[in-house]
Amino acid sequence: MTKTHPTNATNNSSIIAPAATTATTRKIPSFSFEAYLSEKADKVNRALDEAIPLQKPMKIHQAMRYSLLAGGKRVRPILCLAACSLVGGDDATAMPIACAVEMIHTMSLIHDDLPCMDNDDLRRGRPTNHKVFGEDTAVLAGDALLSLAFNHVAEKTKNVEHCRVVRAIAELALAIGSEGLVAGQIVDLDSEGEKISLNELEYIHVHKTSMLLEAAAVCGGILGGGESTEVESLRKYARCIGLLFQVVDDILDVTKSSEQLGKTAGKDLATEKATYPRLMGLAKAREFAGELARKAVDELSHFDALKAAPLYHLAGYLATRQN
Amino acid sequence: MTKTHPTNATNNSSIIAPAATTATTRKIPSFSFEAYLSEKADKVNRALDEAIPLQKPMKIHQAMRYSLLAGGKRVRPILCLAACSLVGGDDATAMPIACAVEMIHTMSLIHDDLPCMDNDDLRRGRPTNHKVFGEDTAVLAGDALLSLAFNHVAEKTKNVEHCRVVRAIAELALAIGSEGLVAGQIVDLDSEGEKISLNELEYIHVHKTSMLLEAAAVCGGILGGGESTEVESLRKYARCIGLLFQVVDDILDVTKSSEQLGKTAGKDLATEKATYPRLMGLAKAREFAGELARKAVDELSHFDALKAAPLYHLAGYLATRQN
């Protein structure tokens, strides 16, 4: 367990500029975001548990459940539910696609951890999927989660116009393919050990992280019955918090201990990986995170403040998270 | 190059019982199946080529195109087009899902060939995807093809009721997940070196092979505007020819030379893999293939014979193919 920057690691205050935090809190009506997060995460966990019963063939369903039900903050599905509710939909409407987004996220983690990719042995404090079930099963568990995601959206989305379901599926599928998540992953793999520019770093993060968050918000908005302008505001909001999520991740890697993060800290530094603090300096990276949080929150001004409260808080939460 | 059964390998006649061939040819109006196959395969190849332009990031699109455009008989997409046309639809209507089915089939081949799975170096006479692009890219190329398949169906299917598009996506996704293709693959991997029963062998083949063919036919029928009873006849037809395809594959493996097959013959025998000839004997396996061809063709009796000609011939073609 290494503390890379012990002086910063002891600083428990917000990692972004105070102005941003003020901006995110100023407009927010009284609302317990922690209670909201916990209630929605429970709901998502129950839905995910039901989505994959432990049935034959046992091994593949065990492997799928092992990674899907391993906890995690459920940021993506909660974003999807919040976006749906913002435009007037309810949780039941968005839940199938919220679950689909989490299945896809889990698939990407399982495949990323494979020996031929990032070769990680630990994920969320537990052995990675291929360490427990073998590489062959891990590849298949990812494939099965990806296809189940689409089956789930197509079969379980009730009381929604079919044209909206089709639009949501198109968005979701685009976000994870060779113009989305996979594009980010391949450019990331190809740039290992190379010197990359800030533009290239942003390309990687927008594709690896933002696009799935964007799809989560956009699909929630589409299924919830949102107008095109509402859906586009949600898209811009999510694109900002997606990048914000990654910038904060990079900052935490150099400012926190492994113990505080629950994963190996200083890993980016040790592997000479390009990060925002490395390319723009820690102070500028914090400023950039603040700017992204402000931009995200600006997009919410088009909506009713009370309804937008969860998304206001989500931006603040992602900007100020400590692990 | 080993000839496992030289006496059989020289026999160029139908590998199934003659009765079946008669049954499949008797009812067929004059129709050039070879010209049909070649015309449809060209059409499918052009659509696949257009579906994945060579764009940035170059490497992932090269890898996807390398395996997707490597030839192959295009049986699945042609089945999809034929099913659509049988119920009154045109090729343009079914083409997006025909392409999607081929993308999914290609994904399953790329992932199956990985070192952690079947560890194959050659596919269709060329080095496998991971041999050319690396294992990491091969995993990602498969993932990207799978997601592109769903994007393609959702975005490119025009002039079809959205409810039919959603139904088709649900069918397709179910066919490849942990209750479809992946289920067959995991049971196959788990039974390596084990003694398995005829029922288990059928489970593997129905899931690994039949279900995607079934989805191809069913989705073609759904998008083409087919009634439920028509779609169910197509389902039963495709389930039979899916299993037929596999039984014939097993028979060819022990009766043909590597040269005749264009791939390593006698591989099943060498690896002690369970096959139909091994479990029921060669004569009974041929009888079973004939029975499946007859059952498939029986399902077509509900349709206009002229319109059903391609599917009659397809069953005959799969039953009598020599490689």
Side-chain angles (χ1 to χ4, degrees), chain A residues 61 111 116 136 143 151 170 178, chain B residues 61 111 116 136 143 151 170 177-178:
Chain A
H61 292 102
H111 283 185
C116 69
D136 48 1
D143 294 348
N151 174 264
S178 60
Chain B
H61 292 103
H111 283 185
C116 67
D136 47 2
D143 294 349
N151 175 264
S178 60

Side-chain angles (χ1 to χ4, degrees), chain B residues 113-133:
Chain B
D113 287 338
L114 286 170
C116 67
M117 307 273 275
D118 292 351
N119 195 18
D120 270 318
D121 292 353
L122 283 176
R123 163 78 61 186
R124 291 172 182 163
R126 301 200 307 165
T128 42
N129 200 290
H130 65 271
K131 280 285 167 188
V132 179
F133 298 96

Side-chain angles (χ1 to χ4, degrees), chain A residues 239-259:
Chain A
R239 199 172 292 171
C240 289
I241 66 160
L243 199 49
L244 170 66
F245 186 90
Q246 200 56 54
V247 177
V248 171
D249 226 46
D250 284 0
I251 295 173
L252 291 173
D253 185 77
V254 292
T255 57
K256 296 285 172 181
S257 68
S258 298
E259 213 175 355

